[in-house]
Structure formats: C-alpha cells, structure tokens
Amino acid sequence: MITEVLTANQLKKEAPVFGQLSFDNHEQVVFCQDKDTGLKAIIGVHNTILGPALGGTRMYDYKTEWDALNDVLRLSRGMTYKAAVTGLNLGGGKAVIMGDPKKIKTPELMKRFGEFVHTLGGKYYTAEDVGMETSDMDTVREVTPYVTGISESKGGAGNPSPVTAYGVYMGMKAATKFAYGNDALSGKRILVQGIGHVGEELVRLTSEEGANVVISDINEERLAEVSKKYGVDIYRGNDLYSETADIYAPCALGATVNNDTINRLKVKVIAGAANNQLADENIHGPLLQKKEIVYAPDFLINAGGIINVYAEIEGYGREQIIAKTENIYNTTLDILNRAKATSITTNAAAIGIAEDRIAARKKQQ
C-alpha cells in the first residue's frame, strides 16, 4: 500500500475552492467564462439567510486566478457582515472580473457578465465596485434586472461612491470621538491612501472640516488633480506607514494592515473605505488592540454604498439613504464601546453583532 503525501501546492490544486483559507461556508461560487468577449469572472455568494446577496463587481488585473478567487471569497464574506451589522435585509455576495478594465472592458463583455448574473435568478444582485462605473451597471441592466447602482436617469440610486465616503466619514468621526473624546477632525492629520471615487470624496469631506489631509496614490496624475482641487498635501516619502498622524484612512485595496506594516503605524485611529484592511483579522485585530489603535471595522463604516443601492430594491428615497448612512456613526460608537467593555477586538465585536442577527433570522425560518 502506497500512502501519498501531498504538498501544500498540491493540496491547493486538489481543493481549489473548499480548501482556500478564505472559504467560509460560502453557499455558492460560480466561475464564468466567455471566449468571444474574453470574460473571466467569479461570483461568490456567501450567505442569503437575511435576503438576496448584494455586492459589487470588481474588475482588476489580478496576478493569478488564485488571487481573484481569494479576493471574491473575502469580499463576499465581508458583504454578509456589512449588510447584517447595518440592519439591512440582504445577504453577502461579490463578483470579480479578471483583467485590466482600461484594456478589455467592453459593452459586450459587461452584457455577457450580466447574463451570468441573470442565471442565478435573483440570488445575487450586482453593483459598481473598483474598475466599474455607473454606466457599466446600466449596460448590465440591459440583460438582467438583478443589478443596482444604475443611473438616476434610469430610475436608479446613481453612483454609490459619495454615500460610501459619507459613511466612512461618519465612522471616522465616531472613532475619533472614542479615541480623543470629541469627534472634531479640524486640525487632525489624516493619511488618505487611495484617491479613487470614494477616496476623493473623503478628502473633500475631511478637508472642508479643517483636517490636515495628506494623500497617497500610485496615480501621479490623480494626486496632482486632487491636491490642487482641495488644497491638500501629497505624500512624497517612501514609508507612509511610519508617518506620524492622527488617522490612517486606507481607501485602496485591502490587507494594508499586515505583518510588515502594523509595527510601523504611528496613528491612533484607522478608519477607511478599503475592504478587508486586516490581512488576517485573527492576528492583526488583536495586535491593533494591543497597540491601542482604534480600528473602525471596514465592513461597517463603508456600508454607505450598499445602503445607497439597497434603496433601489426597497424603494426608499434620498432622505432615508442619508439617515441610514448617518446612523453608521452611532453603530460605530456602540461597537467600539462594546469591544472595550468585553475586552475583544472591534472587528470581533462587529462580526458578533452581525452573526447574532443572522442566527436569529435562521431560527425564524
């Protein structure tokens, strides 16, 4: 009898989905490919106990298909917690399309992707995310009703980015109050990493309140544009994480709080728009707690976007969108206080609230 010992890489190939560290009892993972348009996409449906899964489509030039799979698994899980902790009757889902949006994105590719979304029969609603525009969602809407974030002229709630930024702003102010005793951002030094649609709006909101905003991005043209527009400084050093500041606001891709950066951070608050900011929540959450850095859970404070697009499903208006987004302030404070009172991380406190809500709904079914 020969006993075969598999290496880690072989195990990864043997169990490409269920064996992933990011797989967390996802209900469904759909791989989509179309040769004619060049579409390669993955849709992850994490949980639909509270309602249909809703989450944006991210288009990104991933280095490997494993990176794309890991991203969609982590992002869809985060959407479940985001909807649950915000009190929305939605589940968590996400989609990724592999490729550079500037090079391969076409109306034909977007329609083909929409057709794959349609095959799920409303179990998953898509929306705008990194690498996407409202016009792309309008294109998807031509082939399926299971899309949100379409243009206001077409009856949608429009671009969710400003509302997402407003929610991050509310969460940042709550975390600032927890850390400093008041929520004033005036005079605070804020490092904003990533100035896409959401990052730029956050720069506007914080700079208008009188914060000393410093921006960082890989796009030099965007840096110059945003710096001039809002009168903020551009970071020109080579180690952003070692900069002394009051608040670090990661607004690009995730995992910037990791083994390499966490010991260099010299801030009192982390509050940004990026998803999955903690490379490993079980390791880096406790490390932030030990360093007494107040971490506003990303899936909570960046929930303004899902609140905005959920309006298209539920049919509520702009006033309710803003009211629900402003409530992120209160929820953030509640979670930070709960974490302190129970000596757990803020991330664990937020996940606990979300899981309690899901469990309660499951008992009713």
Side-chain angles (χ1 to χ4, degrees):
M1 180 178 178
I2 299 175
T3 302
E4 183 179 7
V5 179
L6 298 178
T7 66
N9 285 336
Q10 287 172 320
L11 278 172
K12 200 173 187 180
K13 292 177 182 178
E14 289 291 324
V17 178
F18 298 117
Q20 294 297 302
L21 292 176
S22 299
F23 185 82
D24 181 42
N25 295 311
H26 284 67
E27 293 179 9
Q28 193 170 5
V29 181
V30 181
F31 293 82
C32 317
Q33 184 171 16
D34 181 68
K35 184 178 180 181
D36 292 339
T37 61
L39 174 71
K40 286 186 178 180
I42 309 173
I43 301 172
V45 177
H46 179 251
N47 189 290
T48 58
I49 290 174
L50 293 176
L54 191 154
T57 295
R58 171 172 294 186
M59 192 169 189
Y60 186 74
D61 193 13
Y62 294 95
K63 290 183 180 179
T64 70
E65 293 176 2
W66 295 109
D67 290 339
L69 176 59
N70 181 64
D71 206 24
V72 77
L73 291 174
R74 292 194 73 191
L75 290 167
S76 55
R77 175 178 180 263
M79 292 303 296
T80 293
Y81 294 139
K82 184 181 298 189
V85 78
T86 313
L88 305 180
N89 293 322
L90 289 171
K94 205 79 174 183
V96 298
I97 298 176
M98 289 166 265
D100 186 339
K102 295 180 180 178
K103 294 180 180 179
I104 73 165
K105 186 168 62 174
T106 62
E108 291 73 25
L109 181 144
M110 293 309 305
K111 287 179 184 178
R112 190 70 185 96
F113 171 71
E115 289 169 355
F116 278 109
V117 170
H118 193 72
T119 63
L120 295 176
K123 188 174 186 179
Y124 167 68
Y125 281 74
T126 195
E128 179 185 336
D129 201 279
V130 174
M132 290 290 165
E133 305 290 341
T134 303
S135 58
D136 296 318
M137 296 303 104
D138 291 343
T139 300
V140 172
R141 185 64 178 81
E142 293 178 23
V143 296
T144 181
Y146 306 123
V147 56
T148 58
I150 59 176
S151 299
E152 293 182 73
S153 62
K154 295 182 182 296
N159 182 2
S161 297
V163 185
T164 301
Y166 188 56
V168 174
Y169 175 66
M170 288 288 102
M172 180 184 288
K173 287 179 71 65
T176 300
K177 181 173 183 177
F178 186 84
Y180 290 96
N182 66 77
D183 64 11
L185 298 181
S186 178
K188 297 287 190 296
R189 190 168 195 246
I190 304 175
L191 306 176
V192 179
Q193 181 188 48
I195 47 172
H197 295 312
V198 177
E200 179 182 344
E201 180 65 9
L202 184 63
V203 168
R204 183 187 72 80
L205 290 167
T206 52
S207 62
E208 286 182 355
E209 191 178 327
N212 175 17
V213 180
V214 181
I215 57 175
S216 171
D217 198 281
I218 59 174
N219 188 327
E220 287 291 331
E221 187 176 335
R222 283 286 294 160
L223 281 173
E225 177 187 346
V226 173
S227 174
K228 182 179 180 180
K229 191 173 182 180
Y230 303 105
V232 298
D233 295 329
I234 298 174
Y235 178 70
R236 294 299 187 188
N238 55 16
D239 187 3
L240 180 72
Y241 306 104
S242 294
E243 282 292 303
T244 299
D246 298 293
I247 301 167
Y248 166 50
C251 296
L253 297 179
T256 60
V257 180
N258 53 51
N259 290 334
D260 179 51
T261 64
I262 198 164
N263 290 321
R264 308 202 316 261
L265 288 170
K266 297 176 182 176
V267 296
K268 291 192 70 172
V269 172
I270 297 177
N275 288 302
N276 301 318
Q277 293 167 23
L278 307 182
D280 187 324
E281 64 192 48
N282 296 317
I283 295 174
H284 304 119
L287 283 176
L288 289 178
Q289 184 182 25
K290 186 177 180 180
K291 289 192 68 173
E292 297 184 341
I293 295 175
V294 178
Y295 172 61
D298 51 63
F299 60 85
L300 165 62
I301 70 169
N302 66 14
I306 194 173
I307 291 170
N308 186 73
V309 295
Y310 183 53
E312 295 179 25
I313 299 174
E314 286 295 290
Y316 55 79
R318 195 71 180 173
E319 287 186 8
Q320 286 177 281
I321 290 173
I322 297 303
K324 287 177 181 290
T325 304
E326 285 179 344
N327 195 51
I328 288 174
Y329 181 100
N330 297 322
T331 307
T332 302
L333 268 181
D334 288 345
I335 285 171
L336 296 180
N337 285 317
R338 175 183 290 210
K340 182 179 180 180
T342 56
S343 299
I344 61 175
T345 69
T346 57
N347 201 68
I351 289 175
I353 291 173
E355 290 182 337
D356 287 348
R357 184 166 179 250
I358 293 169
R361 176 64 63 85
K362 193 172 183 179
K363 286 181 180 180
Q364 296 171 1
Q365 294 179 347

